[in-house]
Amino acid sequence: MSGEPCLGCGFRTAVRLLLQGDIAGSVILNQLILPAVVFTCFALIDTLAIFRDRRSKVQRTTSVELQK
């Protein structure tokens, strides 16, 4: 509508190509796939760290309660 190319056009196909291992085809189709992959990796690592920290707090709390 604005005359500018859509940033999301071809994103689904780019993800499909990336999952099939065609990195070059994915990047050619949509250049935003690389920042999206990097962001997703950081978000996943952060989420796993949060769950690990919560799990260790629960284990420490349980061991303190057992010592009493």
Side-chain angles (χ1 to χ4, degrees):
M1 291 176 69
S2 67
E4 295 294 320
C6 174
L7 295 176
C9 289
F11 196 78
R12 185 185 323 173
T13 308
V15 170
R16 184 176 54 81
L17 288 173
L18 186 66
L19 292 175
Q20 292 175 349
D22 185 6
I23 297 170
S26 177
V27 171
I28 289 170
L29 194 59
N30 192 326
Q31 290 80 24
L32 289 178
I33 194 72
L34 292 179
V37 168
V38 170
F39 174 78
T40 302
C41 289
F42 280 128
L44 181 62
I45 290 168
D46 189 43
T47 302
L48 292 174
I50 289 171
F51 283 127
R52 186 191 63 204
D53 290 344
R54 286 184 183 176
R55 186 176 185 191
S56 66
K57 283 182 184 178
V58 168
Q59 289 175 348
R60 279 185 277 157
T61 304
T62 306
S63 65
V64 169
E65 290 174 355
L66 290 175
Q67 290 175 356
K68 290 182 179 180

